[in-house]
Amino acid sequence: MLPALFTVAFLPLKNHVAFANIAMTFLLIVVVTAVVGGLLPALAAVVLSAALLNFFFTEPFHTPFIADAENIMTLTVMVAAAVLVAIVVNRSAVRAAEAERARREAALLFSFARIILFDDNPADRLLARITEDFELESAALEEFDGTHWHTTDHARCQPSKPVEVKIQVVQVSPDVRLVVAGNELARDDWAVLETAGFQAVLALRHQRMSATAAEAERQADAAALRNALLSALGHDLRTPLTSLKTAIGSLQDEQLRFSPEDRRELLSVADESAAQLSGLVDNLLDSSRLVTGAVRPNLGNLAVEDAIARALRHVTESDSISLDIADNLPEILADGGLLERVIANLADNALRHGGKGVTITVRAISDDVVISVADHGPGLPLGPRDETFAPFRRRGDRNMTTGIGLGMSVAKGFTEAMAGTIEVAETPGGGLTVNCAFPAVEYAGAGEG
C-alpha cells in the first residue's frame, strides 16, 4: 500500500522533484516494510516500487521502457540497495527476536530452577508456573506404572484470554510425560515446554527426596525421643515408685508398730511420691500432645494474677516463691489451663534448681505482658540457650533426681501454641531467668487506678 500511496502523492510533483529523490523515498518505503513485515513483504515492495517508478516517473511515461540511461542506473542502484537493506533489516529483526526468545527462555528456566531449589512443593508450584507462563488451562505430570498412566501432580489455571482446549503430550522419559491442555503451542514454545517437562521431573524427584529425608529425620527424632524416654523412665519413675511402695508396704505390715510421728512421715513420703509421679505423668502426656500436634489452645482474655494463683496451688513449697506483680495489668490472650501448666512447670523447675530464692515478676512491656520466673541457682549450662528447652534436658545433665527433664520443653511448647514467646537469660547475681511474653488485651478499665 505504501508504494501506491506515495506514487499518488508524487505524481503532481514529478516535474519538480528529481527522479533520484523520488527513488530514495521509495527506498525508505522498502526499509519500513522490512522492519514491519519481514523479508518477503519487503521484496514485494521492491518489485512494486521499481515498477511504479518505471511506469510513472521515467520517460517515456506509462511504458515499461526507460529512455534515459541515468535513470536506468538510478533505478538499478535503488533496487539493489533496497534488496540488500531488506535482507539486512530482516536478519537484524530475526536476530533480535531470537535474542528476546532466548532471554525469555533463560528467564523461564531460571525461575523453574529457583522453584526446584527453594520451594517446599516444587512439583506443584512448577506445574502451576507452566500453566501461567504458557497460558494453558491445565498441566499434569503422569507416570507409567507398568500397566497404565496415572497422574502424579497437576495444576489448573484460568487463562487471561479464551483458549481452544487441545491436549498436548511431552514425553519426558519412557515412564514420565507432561500433559497440557490449552491452545496449540508454537514450535519455539514447544521446545521450552520440553525442557520444562524435564524440570518438572527433577522437581518431583526433589520433592520425593525431601519427603523421604523429612520422614527419615522424623523417625530418627522419634527413635532418639524413645531412647531418651526409656533411659529417663528407668530412674525417674522407679525412684518415686520405690518410695511409694516402701511407705505403703510399711504401713500395711501388721507386725510393725509406728508412732504417730513415724506414721505421718510415711504418709508424707507416700504423698510426695504420688505427687512426683503425677507430675511426671502429666509432663509425659503434655510432651506427647506436643509431639503429635494435638495441642489446640482455647484462647480467651485472662487475668495473669488469677492464673498465677491457680498455678502455684499445684507447686510444692510455693510459699517460698516471691511475687512482684505490677498494678493495673491488662488481660492477656491465652488458654487458662495451658498457662497454668507453663507457670507451674517454670516455678517447679526454679525451685528444684534455685532453692528458696525464686521470684515471679509480671510487667506490661509494649504490647505484651511478660511473666519472668527467676532463680539464683547454677544458671545456664554451657552451650546454645535453645538446648535449655530440649526434651529430657536437665540443667547440667548430671543430677538424675530432679525430674525427667520435660518441664521446660512443655512450657516452651505450650507458650508457643498460645502465640507467646519464651526465652532464657542470666539472673543478675547468678541464676536463671525465664521470660514468657503474651499479647496484651486492652479493656475499658486498663488505665484506671
Side-chain angles (χ1 to χ4, degrees), residues 149-168:
W149 292 92
H150 62 91
T151 301
T152 303
D153 285 284
H154 73 281
R156 300 187 64 85
C157 178
Q158 184 63 41
S160 58
K161 53 188 177 182
V163 299
E164 179 183 351
V165 178
K166 181 178 181 179
I167 304 300
Q168 300 166 88

Side-chain angles (χ1 to χ4, degrees), residues 122-143:
D124 300 337
R125 183 69 186 91
L126 184 57
L127 290 176
R129 184 62 186 273
I130 289 173
T131 60
E132 295 171 6
D133 291 337
F134 294 97
E135 295 191 344
L136 299 168
E137 188 177 86
S138 66
L141 204 60
E142 297 184 350
E143 288 186 289

Side-chain angles (χ1 to χ4, degrees), residues 289-290 292-299 335 338 414 417-418:
R289 291 169 61 198
L290 289 169
T292 58
V295 177
R296 297 290 185 270
N298 183 20
L299 301 180
D335 180 300
L338 297 186
F414 282 177
M418 293 184 286

Side-chain angles (χ1 to χ4, degrees), residues 232 236 276 280 352 394 399-406:
D236 294 295
Q276 186 177 1
L280 292 175
R352 287 201 311 268
R394 299 177 182 83
N399 187 355
M400 297 296 290
T401 64
T402 56
I404 200 170
L406 286 175

Side-chain angles (χ1 to χ4, degrees), residues 92-153:
S92 299
V94 170
R95 296 278 176 84
E98 291 176 349
E100 175 60 24
R101 185 165 56 251
R103 185 200 64 77
R104 177 173 173 270
E105 292 177 3
L108 285 177
L109 295 178
F110 176 72
S111 67
F112 293 163
R114 288 192 61 182
I115 290 173
I116 294 175
L117 289 175
F118 301 112
D119 205 276
D120 293 333
N121 297 302
D124 300 337
R125 183 69 186 91
L126 184 57
L127 290 176
R129 184 62 186 273
I130 289 173
T131 60
E132 295 171 6
D133 291 337
F134 294 97
E135 295 191 344
L136 299 168
E137 188 177 86
S138 66
L141 204 60
E142 297 184 350
E143 288 186 289
F144 189 66
D145 60 6
T147 57
H148 63 278
W149 292 92
H150 62 91
T151 301
T152 303
D153 285 284

